[in-house]
Amino acid sequence: MSKPLLIFDMDGVLVDVTESYRETIAQTVKHFTGVDLTREQIQDYKNQGGWNDDWKLTHHLITAAGQEIPFETARDYFQSIFLGNGEGGLILREEWVARPGVLEELNRQFRFAVFTGRPKVEAELTLHRFAGGVVFHPVIGMYDVENRKPHPEGLLRILEANPGRKVYYVGDTVDDARCARAAGVAFIGIAAPSNPRYIDLVFLFQEEGAYAIIDDINVLPEVFAV
């Protein structure tokens, strides 16, 4: 019998992006508007759904503050902070969530894949940096699909390549949950106790029919313990 498949979202699931992507949103908004954005405000947008793309969210926040700039201007400044233009960008602040041995243990029971809203090249940079010995296949990023989350296109493509295999999607936003539900895939929600809107997120996952809701991926072996 073929191994079941665990598909991971990346940000907030495999890596803690509090000081990388979330901080980049705040710094970019501050640069163009002077507004000090709180982590709670960012999470409120994430909990609304429809804001999986951090570039679009950043541009929206700038516009909402009364500054009309092209989307590309906001995106390019965002990327200059995140990637660092050849120097140390905020991507280097990312922290790998899995404790040593956890993914290796799970990998004996499951195959792994990734469906993320970040560009594939950025996802692979982080995977190679932290988990070079673990195979994630396929890795589907934002430019690999025409329709982005919460649309299920990325998950459906993985399902088509894995007929008959039991599949779970592990994510940390309501868009991830809605994506999984639309694809008919069991959803495991990550609601970190440190999340500034933790209780709200738990309720949202429950409303979306989550298979399980856990603090982080280190708890996954317990979810599947016989």
Short mmCIF file of all heavy atoms in Angstrom, two decimals, residues 107-168:
data_model
loop_
_atom_site.label_atom_id
_atom_site.label_comp_id
_atom_site.label_asym_id
_atom_site.label_seq_id
_atom_site.Cartn_x
_atom_site.Cartn_y
_atom_site.Cartn_z
N ASN A 107 8.64 10.94 7.99
CA ASN A 107 8.96 10.53 6.62
C ASN A 107 8.97 9.01 6.46
O ASN A 107 8.86 8.49 5.34
CB ASN A 107 10.30 11.11 6.22
CG ASN A 107 10.42 11.37 4.73
OD1 ASN A 107 11.50 11.71 4.23
ND2 ASN A 107 9.33 11.23 3.97
N ARG A 108 9.10 8.29 7.55
CA ARG A 108 9.02 6.83 7.47
C ARG A 108 7.58 6.38 7.22
O ARG A 108 7.35 5.29 6.70
CB ARG A 108 9.55 6.20 8.77
CG ARG A 108 11.06 6.32 8.94
CD ARG A 108 11.57 5.40 10.02
NE ARG A 108 11.27 5.91 11.35
CZ ARG A 108 12.08 6.71 12.05
NH1 ARG A 108 13.24 7.09 11.52
NH2 ARG A 108 11.74 7.13 13.25
N GLN A 109 6.65 7.24 7.59
CA GLN A 109 5.22 6.92 7.46
C GLN A 109 4.55 7.62 6.29
O GLN A 109 3.57 7.13 5.73
CB GLN A 109 4.51 7.30 8.76
CG GLN A 109 3.05 6.90 8.87
CD GLN A 109 2.45 7.31 10.21
OE1 GLN A 109 3.16 7.77 11.10
NE2 GLN A 109 1.14 7.14 10.36
N PHE A 110 5.09 8.79 5.90
CA PHE A 110 4.48 9.63 4.88
C PHE A 110 5.49 10.06 3.83
O PHE A 110 6.67 10.21 4.12
CB PHE A 110 3.90 10.92 5.51
CG PHE A 110 2.80 10.71 6.50
CD1 PHE A 110 3.09 10.55 7.84
CD2 PHE A 110 1.47 10.69 6.09
CE1 PHE A 110 2.08 10.37 8.77
CE2 PHE A 110 0.46 10.51 7.01
CZ PHE A 110 0.75 10.35 8.35
N ARG A 111 4.98 10.31 2.61
CA ARG A 111 5.72 11.11 1.64
C ARG A 111 5.39 12.57 1.91
O ARG A 111 4.34 12.90 2.46
CB ARG A 111 5.32 10.74 0.21
CG ARG A 111 5.84 9.39 -0.25
CD ARG A 111 5.51 9.14 -1.71
NE ARG A 111 6.09 10.17 -2.58
CZ ARG A 111 5.37 11.01 -3.33
NH1 ARG A 111 4.05 10.96 -3.32
NH2 ARG A 111 5.97 11.91 -4.09
N PHE A 112 6.29 13.48 1.49
CA PHE A 112 6.12 14.91 1.72
C PHE A 112 6.02 15.67 0.41
O PHE A 112 6.66 15.33 -0.59
CB PHE A 112 7.32 15.49 2.50
CG PHE A 112 7.48 14.99 3.90
CD1 PHE A 112 8.71 15.10 4.54
CD2 PHE A 112 6.43 14.44 4.61
CE1 PHE A 112 8.89 14.67 5.85
CE2 PHE A 112 6.58 14.00 5.91
CZ PHE A 112 7.82 14.12 6.53
N ALA A 113 5.23 16.75 0.44
CA ALA A 113 5.18 17.72 -0.65
C ALA A 113 4.96 19.09 -0.03
O ALA A 113 4.67 19.20 1.17
CB ALA A 113 4.08 17.38 -1.64
N VAL A 114 5.10 20.14 -0.84
CA VAL A 114 4.88 21.51 -0.37
C VAL A 114 3.99 22.25 -1.37
O VAL A 114 4.22 22.18 -2.58
CB VAL A 114 6.22 22.28 -0.21
CG1 VAL A 114 5.96 23.77 0.00
CG2 VAL A 114 7.03 21.71 0.94
N PHE A 115 2.97 22.92 -0.84
CA PHE A 115 2.19 23.87 -1.64
C PHE A 115 2.17 25.17 -0.86
O PHE A 115 1.57 25.28 0.19
CB PHE A 115 0.77 23.36 -1.88
CG PHE A 115 -0.11 24.37 -2.59
CD1 PHE A 115 0.39 25.18 -3.61
CD2 PHE A 115 -1.44 24.51 -2.24
CE1 PHE A 115 -0.41 26.11 -4.25
CE2 PHE A 115 -2.26 25.43 -2.87
CZ PHE A 115 -1.75 26.23 -3.87
N THR A 116 2.87 26.18 -1.39
CA THR A 116 3.09 27.43 -0.67
C THR A 116 2.73 28.63 -1.52
O THR A 116 2.77 28.56 -2.76
CB THR A 116 4.57 27.54 -0.24
OG1 THR A 116 4.81 28.82 0.35
CG2 THR A 116 5.52 27.38 -1.43
N GLY A 117 2.41 29.73 -0.85
CA GLY A 117 2.13 30.97 -1.56
C GLY A 117 3.37 31.78 -1.87
O GLY A 117 3.28 32.82 -2.51
N ARG A 118 4.54 31.32 -1.41
CA ARG A 118 5.77 32.06 -1.75
C ARG A 118 6.32 31.52 -3.07
O ARG A 118 6.01 30.41 -3.47
CB ARG A 118 6.81 31.96 -0.63
CG ARG A 118 7.46 30.63 -0.44
CD ARG A 118 8.72 30.70 0.41
NE ARG A 118 8.51 30.94 1.82
CZ ARG A 118 9.50 31.09 2.70
NH1 ARG A 118 10.76 31.02 2.30
NH2 ARG A 118 9.25 31.32 3.97
N PRO A 119 7.16 32.29 -3.77
CA PRO A 119 7.77 31.78 -4.99
C PRO A 119 8.56 30.50 -4.71
O PRO A 119 9.20 30.37 -3.66
CB PRO A 119 8.69 32.92 -5.45
CG PRO A 119 8.10 34.15 -4.83
CD PRO A 119 7.54 33.70 -3.51
N LYS A 120 8.53 29.58 -5.66
CA LYS A 120 9.18 28.28 -5.48
C LYS A 120 10.66 28.43 -5.17
O LYS A 120 11.21 27.71 -4.32
CB LYS A 120 8.99 27.43 -6.73
CG LYS A 120 9.61 26.05 -6.65
CD LYS A 120 9.30 25.25 -7.92
CE LYS A 120 9.93 23.87 -7.86
NZ LYS A 120 9.59 23.07 -9.07
N VAL A 121 11.34 29.37 -5.82
CA VAL A 121 12.77 29.54 -5.60
C VAL A 121 13.05 29.93 -4.16
O VAL A 121 14.04 29.48 -3.56
CB VAL A 121 13.37 30.56 -6.60
CG1 VAL A 121 12.80 31.94 -6.39
CG2 VAL A 121 14.89 30.57 -6.50
N GLU A 122 12.19 30.77 -3.57
CA GLU A 122 12.39 31.16 -2.17
C GLU A 122 12.07 30.00 -1.23
O GLU A 122 12.73 29.83 -0.20
CB GLU A 122 11.52 32.37 -1.84
CG GLU A 122 11.97 33.63 -2.57
CD GLU A 122 11.10 34.84 -2.26
OE1 GLU A 122 10.34 34.80 -1.27
OE2 GLU A 122 11.16 35.83 -3.02
N ALA A 123 11.08 29.20 -1.58
CA ALA A 123 10.76 28.03 -0.78
C ALA A 123 11.93 27.05 -0.78
O ALA A 123 12.31 26.51 0.27
CB ALA A 123 9.51 27.35 -1.33
N GLU A 124 12.51 26.83 -1.95
CA GLU A 124 13.61 25.87 -2.04
C GLU A 124 14.86 26.37 -1.33
O GLU A 124 15.62 25.57 -0.77
CB GLU A 124 13.87 25.53 -3.50
CG GLU A 124 12.73 24.72 -4.12
CD GLU A 124 12.97 24.34 -5.56
OE1 GLU A 124 13.70 25.08 -6.27
OE2 GLU A 124 12.42 23.30 -5.98
N LEU A 125 15.08 27.68 -1.35
CA LEU A 125 16.21 28.24 -0.60
C LEU A 125 16.12 27.85 0.87
O LEU A 125 17.09 27.41 1.49
CB LEU A 125 16.22 29.77 -0.72
CG LEU A 125 16.86 30.40 -1.95
CD1 LEU A 125 16.60 31.91 -1.95
CD2 LEU A 125 18.35 30.12 -1.99
N THR A 126 14.92 28.01 1.43
CA THR A 126 14.72 27.72 2.85
C THR A 126 14.76 26.23 3.12
O THR A 126 15.33 25.78 4.12
CB THR A 126 13.40 28.35 3.33
OG1 THR A 126 13.51 29.78 3.21
CG2 THR A 126 13.12 28.00 4.77
N LEU A 127 14.16 25.43 2.24
CA LEU A 127 14.19 23.97 2.44
C LEU A 127 15.62 23.44 2.40
O LEU A 127 16.00 22.60 3.23
CB LEU A 127 13.35 23.29 1.36
CG LEU A 127 11.83 23.46 1.46
CD1 LEU A 127 11.15 22.84 0.24
CD2 LEU A 127 11.29 22.83 2.74
N HIS A 128 16.41 23.93 1.46
CA HIS A 128 17.80 23.47 1.37
C HIS A 128 18.62 23.93 2.57
O HIS A 128 19.52 23.23 3.02
CB HIS A 128 18.43 23.98 0.07
CG HIS A 128 17.85 23.34 -1.16
ND1 HIS A 128 17.89 23.93 -2.40
CD2 HIS A 128 17.18 22.17 -1.32
CE1 HIS A 128 17.28 23.16 -3.28
NE2 HIS A 128 16.85 22.09 -2.65
N ARG A 129 18.30 25.11 3.06
CA ARG A 129 19.04 25.65 4.21
C ARG A 129 18.79 24.83 5.47
O ARG A 129 19.72 24.57 6.24
CB ARG A 129 18.62 27.10 4.42
CG ARG A 129 19.27 27.79 5.61
CD ARG A 129 18.75 29.21 5.75
NE ARG A 129 19.10 29.81 7.03
CZ ARG A 129 18.44 30.78 7.60
NH1 ARG A 129 17.37 31.28 7.01
NH2 ARG A 129 18.82 31.28 8.76
N PHE A 130 17.54 24.45 5.69
CA PHE A 130 17.19 23.81 6.96
C PHE A 130 17.00 22.30 6.88
O PHE A 130 17.15 21.61 7.89
CB PHE A 130 15.90 24.42 7.52
CG PHE A 130 16.04 25.83 8.01
CD1 PHE A 130 15.46 26.88 7.31
CD2 PHE A 130 16.75 26.12 9.15
CE1 PHE A 130 15.56 28.18 7.77
CE2 PHE A 130 16.88 27.43 9.62
CZ PHE A 130 16.27 28.46 8.92
N ALA A 131 16.60 21.79 5.72
CA ALA A 131 16.22 20.37 5.64
C ALA A 131 16.72 19.74 4.36
O ALA A 131 15.97 19.08 3.63
CB ALA A 131 14.70 20.25 5.75
N GLY A 132 17.99 19.93 4.08
CA GLY A 132 18.56 19.43 2.84
C GLY A 132 18.47 17.93 2.66
O GLY A 132 18.49 17.43 1.54
N GLY A 133 18.36 17.20 3.76
CA GLY A 133 18.31 15.74 3.67
C GLY A 133 16.90 15.17 3.58
O GLY A 133 16.73 13.96 3.51
N VAL A 134 15.89 16.04 3.57
CA VAL A 134 14.49 15.59 3.52
C VAL A 134 13.93 15.90 2.14
O VAL A 134 14.11 17.00 1.62
CB VAL A 134 13.65 16.28 4.61
CG1 VAL A 134 12.20 15.81 4.55
CG2 VAL A 134 14.24 16.02 5.99
N VAL A 135 13.23 14.93 1.54
CA VAL A 135 12.69 15.10 0.19
C VAL A 135 11.26 15.62 0.27
O VAL A 135 10.39 15.00 0.91
CB VAL A 135 12.72 13.77 -0.59
CG1 VAL A 135 12.04 13.94 -1.95
CG2 VAL A 135 14.16 13.30 -0.76
N PHE A 136 11.01 16.75 -0.38
CA PHE A 136 9.67 17.30 -0.56
C PHE A 136 9.41 17.33 -2.07
O PHE A 136 10.08 18.05 -2.80
CB PHE A 136 9.57 18.72 -0.01
CG PHE A 136 9.77 18.83 1.49
CD1 PHE A 136 11.04 18.97 2.02
CD2 PHE A 136 8.68 18.81 2.35
CE1 PHE A 136 11.24 19.09 3.38
CE2 PHE A 136 8.87 18.92 3.72
CZ PHE A 136 10.14 19.06 4.24
N HIS A 137 8.43 16.55 -2.51
CA HIS A 137 8.17 16.48 -3.96
C HIS A 137 6.68 16.23 -4.22
O HIS A 137 6.13 15.27 -3.70
CB HIS A 137 8.99 15.37 -4.60
CG HIS A 137 8.76 15.28 -6.09
ND1 HIS A 137 9.31 16.17 -6.97
CD2 HIS A 137 8.00 14.42 -6.81
CE1 HIS A 137 8.91 15.85 -8.20
NE2 HIS A 137 8.13 14.80 -8.12
N PRO A 138 6.07 17.11 -5.01
CA PRO A 138 6.65 18.31 -5.61
C PRO A 138 6.64 19.49 -4.64
O PRO A 138 6.01 19.43 -3.59
CB PRO A 138 5.72 18.58 -6.79
CG PRO A 138 4.38 18.14 -6.28
CD PRO A 138 4.66 16.92 -5.43
N VAL A 139 7.34 20.56 -5.04
CA VAL A 139 7.23 21.84 -4.36
C VAL A 139 6.52 22.78 -5.33
O VAL A 139 7.03 23.07 -6.42
CB VAL A 139 8.61 22.42 -3.99
CG1 VAL A 139 8.46 23.82 -3.39
CG2 VAL A 139 9.34 21.50 -3.02
N ILE A 140 5.32 23.21 -4.97
CA ILE A 140 4.53 24.08 -5.84
C ILE A 140 4.42 25.45 -5.18
O ILE A 140 3.97 25.57 -4.04
CB ILE A 140 3.13 23.48 -6.09
CG1 ILE A 140 3.26 22.19 -6.89
CG2 ILE A 140 2.23 24.49 -6.81
CD1 ILE A 140 1.93 21.54 -7.24
N GLY A 141 4.87 26.47 -5.91
CA GLY A 141 4.86 27.83 -5.41
C GLY A 141 3.89 28.71 -6.16
O GLY A 141 3.11 28.25 -7.00
N MET A 142 3.95 30.01 -5.89
CA MET A 142 2.94 30.94 -6.39
C MET A 142 2.93 31.05 -7.91
O MET A 142 1.87 31.28 -8.50
CB MET A 142 3.13 32.32 -5.75
CG MET A 142 4.37 33.07 -6.17
SD MET A 142 4.60 34.63 -5.24
CE MET A 142 3.09 35.51 -5.60
N TYR A 143 4.08 30.89 -8.56
CA TYR A 143 4.13 31.03 -10.01
C TYR A 143 3.84 29.72 -10.73
O TYR A 143 3.82 29.68 -11.97
CB TYR A 143 5.49 31.57 -10.44
CG TYR A 143 5.77 32.97 -9.95
CD1 TYR A 143 6.93 33.25 -9.22
CD2 TYR A 143 4.89 34.02 -10.20
CE1 TYR A 143 7.19 34.54 -8.77
CE2 TYR A 143 5.15 35.30 -9.74
CZ TYR A 143 6.29 35.55 -9.03
OH TYR A 143 6.55 36.82 -8.58
N ASP A 144 3.63 28.65 -9.98
CA ASP A 144 3.36 27.34 -10.58
C ASP A 144 1.87 27.09 -10.78
O ASP A 144 1.49 26.04 -11.30
CB ASP A 144 3.97 26.23 -9.72
CG ASP A 144 5.48 26.39 -9.55
OD1 ASP A 144 6.15 26.64 -10.57
OD2 ASP A 144 5.96 26.30 -8.41
N VAL A 145 1.04 28.02 -10.33
CA VAL A 145 -0.41 27.88 -10.49
C VAL A 145 -0.97 29.17 -11.08
O VAL A 145 -0.41 30.25 -10.91
CB VAL A 145 -1.11 27.58 -9.14
CG1 VAL A 145 -0.70 26.21 -8.62
CG2 VAL A 145 -0.80 28.66 -8.11
N GLU A 146 -2.07 29.05 -11.79
CA GLU A 146 -2.75 30.23 -12.33
C GLU A 146 -3.63 30.86 -11.25
O GLU A 146 -3.82 32.08 -11.22
CB GLU A 146 -3.59 29.85 -13.55
CG GLU A 146 -2.77 29.45 -14.76
CD GLU A 146 -3.63 29.19 -15.98
OE1 GLU A 146 -4.83 29.56 -15.93
OE2 GLU A 146 -3.14 28.64 -16.96
N ASN A 147 -4.19 30.01 -10.40
CA ASN A 147 -5.11 30.47 -9.36
C ASN A 147 -4.49 30.20 -7.99
O ASN A 147 -4.17 29.06 -7.66
CB ASN A 147 -6.45 29.73 -9.47
CG ASN A 147 -7.08 29.90 -10.84
OD1 ASN A 147 -7.55 30.97 -11.17
ND2 ASN A 147 -7.08 28.83 -11.63
N ARG A 148 -4.34 31.23 -7.20
CA ARG A 148 -3.66 31.10 -5.91
C ARG A 148 -4.65 30.86 -4.77
O ARG A 148 -5.85 31.09 -4.92
CB ARG A 148 -2.80 32.35 -5.65
CG ARG A 148 -1.73 32.52 -6.72
CD ARG A 148 -0.96 33.81 -6.62
NE ARG A 148 -0.08 33.97 -7.78
CZ ARG A 148 0.60 35.07 -8.06
NH1 ARG A 148 0.51 36.12 -7.26
NH2 ARG A 148 1.37 35.13 -9.12
N LYS A 149 -4.12 30.39 -3.66
CA LYS A 149 -4.97 30.10 -2.51
C LYS A 149 -5.84 31.31 -2.14
O LYS A 149 -5.37 32.43 -2.25
CB LYS A 149 -4.10 29.70 -1.31
CG LYS A 149 -3.41 28.36 -1.47
CD LYS A 149 -2.68 27.92 -0.21
CE LYS A 149 -1.37 28.64 -0.02
NZ LYS A 149 -0.57 28.08 1.10
N PRO A 150 -7.10 31.05 -1.76
CA PRO A 150 -7.68 29.76 -1.36
C PRO A 150 -8.15 28.85 -2.49
O PRO A 150 -8.76 27.82 -2.21
CB PRO A 150 -8.86 30.19 -0.50
CG PRO A 150 -9.30 31.49 -1.08
CD PRO A 150 -8.02 32.18 -1.49
N HIS A 151 -7.91 29.21 -3.74
CA HIS A 151 -8.24 28.29 -4.83
C HIS A 151 -7.42 27.01 -4.66
O HIS A 151 -6.23 27.06 -4.32
CB HIS A 151 -7.92 28.95 -6.18
CG HIS A 151 -8.52 28.23 -7.35
ND1 HIS A 151 -8.00 27.06 -7.85
CD2 HIS A 151 -9.62 28.51 -8.10
CE1 HIS A 151 -8.73 26.66 -8.88
NE2 HIS A 151 -9.72 27.52 -9.05
N PRO A 152 -8.02 25.84 -4.91
CA PRO A 152 -7.34 24.57 -4.64
C PRO A 152 -6.45 24.06 -5.77
O PRO A 152 -5.98 22.92 -5.72
CB PRO A 152 -8.51 23.60 -4.42
CG PRO A 152 -9.58 24.12 -5.35
CD PRO A 152 -9.45 25.63 -5.27
N GLU A 153 -6.16 24.88 -6.78
CA GLU A 153 -5.43 24.37 -7.95
C GLU A 153 -4.15 23.63 -7.57
O GLU A 153 -3.87 22.54 -8.09
CB GLU A 153 -5.09 25.52 -8.90
CG GLU A 153 -4.32 25.04 -10.14
CD GLU A 153 -3.91 26.18 -11.06
OE1 GLU A 153 -4.44 27.30 -10.93
OE2 GLU A 153 -3.03 25.94 -11.91
N GLY A 154 -3.35 24.20 -6.68
CA GLY A 154 -2.09 23.56 -6.32
C GLY A 154 -2.30 22.19 -5.69
O GLY A 154 -1.58 21.22 -6.02
N LEU A 155 -3.26 22.08 -4.79
CA LEU A 155 -3.54 20.79 -4.18
C LEU A 155 -4.09 19.80 -5.20
O LEU A 155 -3.73 18.61 -5.19
CB LEU A 155 -4.54 20.95 -3.03
CG LEU A 155 -4.04 21.66 -1.77
CD1 LEU A 155 -5.13 21.66 -0.70
CD2 LEU A 155 -2.78 21.00 -1.21
N LEU A 156 -4.96 20.26 -6.07
CA LEU A 156 -5.54 19.37 -7.08
C LEU A 156 -4.47 18.81 -8.01
O LEU A 156 -4.54 17.63 -8.41
CB LEU A 156 -6.61 20.12 -7.88
CG LEU A 156 -7.86 20.50 -7.09
CD1 LEU A 156 -8.79 21.36 -7.94
CD2 LEU A 156 -8.59 19.26 -6.58
N ARG A 157 -3.48 19.61 -8.34
CA ARG A 157 -2.39 19.10 -9.19
C ARG A 157 -1.62 18.00 -8.49
O ARG A 157 -1.24 17.00 -9.10
CB ARG A 157 -1.45 20.26 -9.55
CG ARG A 157 -2.01 21.17 -10.62
CD ARG A 157 -1.04 22.28 -10.97
NE ARG A 157 0.30 21.79 -11.27
CZ ARG A 157 1.34 22.58 -11.47
NH1 ARG A 157 1.19 23.88 -11.40
NH2 ARG A 157 2.52 22.07 -11.74
N ILE A 158 -1.39 18.17 -7.19
CA ILE A 158 -0.69 17.13 -6.43
C ILE A 158 -1.55 15.88 -6.32
O ILE A 158 -1.04 14.75 -6.45
CB ILE A 158 -0.29 17.65 -5.04
CG1 ILE A 158 0.69 18.83 -5.18
CG2 ILE A 158 0.34 16.54 -4.20
CD1 ILE A 158 1.04 19.51 -3.86
N LEU A 159 -2.85 16.05 -6.12
CA LEU A 159 -3.75 14.90 -6.05
C LEU A 159 -3.77 14.12 -7.36
O LEU A 159 -3.77 12.89 -7.36
CB LEU A 159 -5.17 15.38 -5.73
CG LEU A 159 -5.44 15.88 -4.31
CD1 LEU A 159 -6.86 16.41 -4.20
CD2 LEU A 159 -5.20 14.79 -3.29
N GLU A 160 -3.77 14.84 -8.48
CA GLU A 160 -3.78 14.18 -9.78
C GLU A 160 -2.54 13.31 -9.98
O GLU A 160 -2.60 12.26 -10.63
CB GLU A 160 -3.86 15.22 -10.90
CG GLU A 160 -5.22 15.90 -10.99
CD GLU A 160 -5.21 17.08 -11.95
OE1 GLU A 160 -4.16 17.30 -12.61
OE2 GLU A 160 -6.23 17.78 -12.02
N ALA A 161 -1.42 13.74 -9.41
CA ALA A 161 -0.18 12.98 -9.54
C ALA A 161 -0.08 11.85 -8.51
O ALA A 161 0.87 11.05 -8.57
CB ALA A 161 1.02 13.92 -9.39
N ASN A 162 -1.04 11.80 -7.59
CA ASN A 162 -1.00 10.79 -6.54
C ASN A 162 -2.37 10.13 -6.37
O ASN A 162 -2.97 10.16 -5.29
CB ASN A 162 -0.58 11.42 -5.21
CG ASN A 162 0.86 11.87 -5.20
OD1 ASN A 162 1.76 11.10 -4.90
ND2 ASN A 162 1.08 13.14 -5.53
N PRO A 163 -2.88 9.51 -7.44
CA PRO A 163 -4.23 8.93 -7.37
C PRO A 163 -4.32 7.82 -6.32
O PRO A 163 -3.43 7.00 -6.18
CB PRO A 163 -4.43 8.38 -8.79
CG PRO A 163 -3.05 8.15 -9.32
CD PRO A 163 -2.22 9.25 -8.72
N GLY A 164 -5.42 7.86 -5.56
CA GLY A 164 -5.66 6.82 -4.58
C GLY A 164 -4.89 6.94 -3.28
O GLY A 164 -5.07 6.13 -2.37
N ARG A 165 -4.05 7.96 -3.19
CA ARG A 165 -3.23 8.12 -1.98
C ARG A 165 -3.97 9.02 -0.98
O ARG A 165 -4.57 10.01 -1.34
CB ARG A 165 -1.89 8.78 -2.36
CG ARG A 165 -0.81 8.65 -1.29
CD ARG A 165 0.44 9.41 -1.72
NE ARG A 165 1.03 8.94 -2.95
CZ ARG A 165 1.95 7.99 -3.04
NH1 ARG A 165 2.39 7.40 -1.94
NH2 ARG A 165 2.44 7.62 -4.20
N LYS A 166 -3.95 8.65 0.29
CA LYS A 166 -4.52 9.49 1.33
C LYS A 166 -3.66 10.73 1.48
O LYS A 166 -2.43 10.65 1.57
CB LYS A 166 -4.58 8.74 2.67
CG LYS A 166 -5.18 9.55 3.82
CD LYS A 166 -6.63 9.93 3.58
CE LYS A 166 -7.21 10.70 4.76
NZ LYS A 166 -8.58 11.16 4.50
N VAL A 167 -4.31 11.90 1.53
CA VAL A 167 -3.58 13.17 1.53
C VAL A 167 -4.07 14.06 2.67
O VAL A 167 -5.27 14.16 2.94
CB VAL A 167 -3.75 13.91 0.18
CG1 VAL A 167 -3.07 15.26 0.21
CG2 VAL A 167 -3.22 13.06 -0.97
N TYR A 168 -3.12 14.73 3.31
CA TYR A 168 -3.41 15.72 4.34
C TYR A 168 -2.68 17.01 3.96
O TYR A 168 -1.55 16.98 3.47
CB TYR A 168 -2.90 15.27 5.72
CG TYR A 168 -3.46 13.96 6.20
CD1 TYR A 168 -2.87 12.76 5.82
CD2 TYR A 168 -4.58 13.92 7.04
CE1 TYR A 168 -3.38 11.54 6.26
CE2 TYR A 168 -5.09 12.70 7.48
CZ TYR A 168 -4.48 11.53 7.09
OH TYR A 168 -4.98 10.32 7.53
#
